[in-house]
Each structure stands twice: as C-alpha cells, then as structure tokens.
Amino acid sequence: MNLGISALEYIDAIKNGDFTIEEFVSETFDRIKKVDDKLHAYLSLNEKALDQAKELDKKRKAKEKIGACMGMSVAIKDNICVKDTKTTCASKMLEKYVAPFDATVIARLRKQDTLFIGKTNLDEFAMGATTEFSAYGPSKNPWNPEYVPGGSSGGSAVAVSALESIASLGSDTGGSVRNPASFCSIVGLKPTYGLVSRYGLISYANSIEQIGPMARTVKDTAFLLNIITGIDPNDNTTVDNHGEDYLKDIDAGIDGKKIGVISEMVGKGTDKEVSSATKKALAKFEDLGAKCEEISIDMVDYSVASYYTITSTEAGSNLARYDNLRYGFDFDLEEYEFNSYISKARKNFGPEVTRRLIIGGFVPSTGHAGKYFLEALKVKSRLTKEINSAFKKVDYLVAPTVPVLPFKFGEKLDDPVAMFLIDFNTVTANLTGKPAISVPFEISNGLPIGIQIIADSMQEKSLFQAAYALESTTNLPKVPL
Amino acid sequence: MVSKEEIEHVAKLMRIELDDHAIHIDRVQKMIEYLDILDRAIKEITEPLIVNEQPLENLREDKYEPYNDKLIDKLKHYKEKFIRAPKMV
C-alpha cells in the first residue's frame, strides 16, 4: 500500500474499495512505529483509531453514508483540543491536561469522519521556529534528521512529510505552519484572520494566530480548508465565507495575473540557494502567463520587531492563567505561601516561554508601553496600509517562505536574534491578516525550499489557483526515508 | 538599554522566579535590544493609530449555556459538594 498518496487519492481509493480504512490506519501505525522513534513527530497517538476505522468500514459495508473524509488519517498539533485527549502544548505545564471538548475545527473534521491519528510535537506553546523548544525533545526533519524540521508546527509537518499521516493541522502565529511546511517540503496555509475558528486552539497571541491545514498537495490543502472554515458562535472573530468551494476552478491558472516580489524579503540575509530557487519560481510564474515586478514594502524591515512585541504582550496575558489556580497542577494539599505557590507552578514553563513572558511583561509596562507596544501597533497599522496598497497594483505577493535553508540542530539556539529573523518573510501575513501559502518548490542538496504566495484578505480561492499553478511546474523527489 | 534589575523586576511581576536561571536575563536583554529598531520605524510614521473596533451588535447572545457538569468529576480533590484546595497564607 502506498502511504504517500494524497488526501483526494485516498478518498477515491476508499470509494473504489482498493483497501479498507482499517488497512490504511493499521499500515500508518506500522509506519509510525518504524520511523517515529527517530523523527518524533508525535507526542501521543490515538489508540482508538483502529477501532474507529473498523466502525467506519462496517458502516460502509452496510451501505451507510459516511463523511467526506472517509476515515482519513489526520494528525493534529498538540495545542488544538481534541476531546478526551491529552493536549500538552509540548509543555510540562499541561502534561496531564486532557481536553474536555473538541475545538471547532476538530468537530468539523469529525463530522466528516476524519480519524485523528495522534497529536503532534511543537515548540512549547508554539513559541519557536524549530521544535527545539518542545519540553519533550525536538522533531527531526525527514529529509535529513540532523536538520530542524521548522516550527512551531514541526511535528505536523514531519507527520505528513514522513508518511505518518495524510494531512495535518497546525497553527500559524508568525509562520508556524508555513515555515515547517517549507522545511519539510509539504504545502501549508495560513488562512485570512477569522476564516477559521480558533475556539479550542490554546491561545498564544490571539489577535494574529490562525489554525491552518498542512498537506502533500495544494488540492488537499484546499479540500481541508473547505471543511474547517465558517462562522463559529464560539469565536467572535470568525468571518462568513458564504460556503466558498476552494477546490472548484483550482486549475484556472494565473494567465494575465500580476505578481509583486517583495524586495525586502529577497535581499540581504537570504541564502543564495533560496535566492536562486525564488528566481526560478518567478520565471515559472512568467511562463504561466503572469507578470512579475518588484515591490518595496518599507515596514517589512520592522515587522519582526513589531511581531515579537505584540505576540509577547499577548502571551504574557494569555499565559497568566497558568497560575495553578485556574489551570495547572494538582499539588499536594499542604500549606503554601501565596506568591511562591504560583511561581512554583510557573517554573514548569520552559526557557523560551519564560523569556517571552518576561518580554511580554516588560514591553507593555508603565514607562515602556509608549516606546514598544504603541510603536509596534503603529508599525502593524502602517504595514497593513502598505500591503493593502500593494494589492491595488498586484494580485499576489511572492517571496521565499523562509530566507534560509533548513539548518542543523543547535545552530541558532543560542542566538535569539538569529532565531527571530527566521520569521522575517512570514510575519507580514500575520500582522496584516492576509492569507499566505507555502508551496514546496525545490530540493537543494537534499534540503527543501518553499515559495510563499500571499493574497489579499479572503482571496484564498485565487491564492490556491496560483499555488496550484506553481505546484504543477514542479517534479520533486520523494522523501528519502 | 534595559537594565538587568528592570528585567528581574518584571519577571517578579509576571510571577516568574529567576534565581536559578540568570542566563535568561542576558538573552531577554538581547531580545529587547532588537526591538529598539521600532524607534527607527516610528520616525517615518506620522499618522495616528487606526484601531479596528468590533461593533457591539456582532457579539454572541448573552445567554447562559450550561456546560456538561461531569467536568467537575475530573478534579482530584472533589468530594460531594466541596473542592478541597491547598491552604494559602
């Protein structure tokens, strides 16, 4: 059985009776057993998945209708709540937390008979770009296990790339879906802010984060987005997409479209292999009938600083609830001094979360808020204005997803500013709320490079058309593992 | 330049004890220093900040929806009607 098939191929195969859901799930578990000791994509597995698969097979045999996902194996980032399943955020703080409810995205996928195969690794509370900050150890890049898989949704990307699941969900606050998608050579989408409900996603920086689908093909990504979008009374920021079908006309092409290449994102700090891949991608776009021009967006140079100021501030507030009163540990019933009780619990945060919380306390505090937080908001506002005017001139903005190639473990771990700059090309879409997708484009000396396409708000349909057109020009090797 | 004392003070306010990991302070200092580039950006921005306000009529209906009451069973020290919590002084 080929575990590397796409989601749409899987659905066809089940419909044709090529194999049963149980056979596929069982083979997937065998695969996980074989490779996950090395790759560490998963933090926990759904032990009931096989029984659930059998149940679905039984229903199909009895000619009962089952949902559109047909028991597809999907992996879920471990900061998204799946009922009665551990949801740890890769933190010791939540090591025993069992979610008592389904996130809206999970409920929607469940309704379509998706099987949640397991929960995937991430940087603790999604703060990081390599999974090195996971309290349970990093995930490894299946293209070369000595290299980072990207992050924070690293486990979700590895699971799809290493054939340990057909697709997955990640969350993207500053590139956390697109960056690992790029590093692991899969497709990852950060939807328009509000298109996908965040109810049940454990909050880190809620004003800019979104849940996003990750899959092997652009079509699979569009298929998943079709299922998870829509208004949710439990998330007031959700917007109505009027039941848009993102798969329809996905092959419409991009003839006559205008593409802006963000000059700040292809300049200094970009690896030469990444620059060369980007040039090739632009040539492909031109071959497909699009017109490319360079566009300068001044505020991009300050976007990372704005992003870290805003996200740390929101994290400081969102993570205040882990005080062992509202969330936390069941300590023994001895006597505690009030302040030390809370800080004793908060010692369970790992180093990066601790640092971000300190920054999150500092930048909006009296005497500093005017300098940092207000300035960051002004940059965000100006950046949005600049991007909006760019979209008056062009249909898409393009840049490499990550300015550098995947790197080795530990390489940037001790340099917080180098770690910041990994997000340089991705945070703009988050700060401005625009949809952005990473499409695998090249393998350079065994290391994947992804190209990022950004579209205007709610233009996912058009975004998928461009992504599909670019994907159709590539013929990438299979993952070596 | 942010002083180490300031960082320690904020950490305390965030209820984070730093006694055994002073190394954080250096890194936090570096991180905050990077954020100083915002000062440069701000020189180019003269317009006032635009904030998108959420219209109040779009809010969810203010209605009590009881949650599955079995949740309380998940507490470790729950007996009959009482939850036993550690003593605080």
Side-chain angles (χ1 to χ4, degrees), chain A residues 25 29 42 44-50 52 56 69 71-77 80-83 85 102-119 165 167-169 224 228:
Chain A
V25 172
F29 275 127
Y42 287 98
S44 60
L45 293 172
N46 173 13
E47 319 233 304
K48 293 186 201 133
L50 259 181
Q52 290 162 345
L56 287 173
C69 289
M72 183 195 300
S73 311
V74 172
I76 306 293
K77 187 177 182 179
I80 300 173
C81 292
V82 177
K83 194 173 191 293
T85 300
D102 272 338
T104 300
V105 288
I106 298 299
R108 287 184 175 156
L109 285 169
R110 203 188 281 284
K111 210 172 151 201
Q112 296 303 330
D113 287 315
T114 305
L115 289 184
F116 305 110
I117 213 85
K119 303 296 294 287
S165 74
S168 61
L169 287 185
L224 283 174
I228 60 175

Side-chain angles (χ1 to χ4, degrees), chain A residues 385-407:
Chain A
K385 208 169 143 192
E386 288 180 357
I387 291 280
N388 283 340
S389 47
F391 279 125
K392 288 200 177 104
K393 286 184 251 162
V394 297
D395 300 288
Y396 306 108
L397 291 166
V398 167
T401 308
V402 191
V404 294
L405 284 168
F407 43 89

Side-chain angles (χ1 to χ4, degrees), chain A residues 336 339 343 371 382 413, chain B residues 15 17 27 39 44 87:
Chain A
Y336 297 91
N339 284 316
S343 40
K371 176 169 155 59
R382 169 64 84 90
L413 202 53
Chain B
R15 300 195 189 278
E17 277 175 32
R27 287 186 66 154
D39 289 347
E44 300 170 30
K87 184 176 174 185

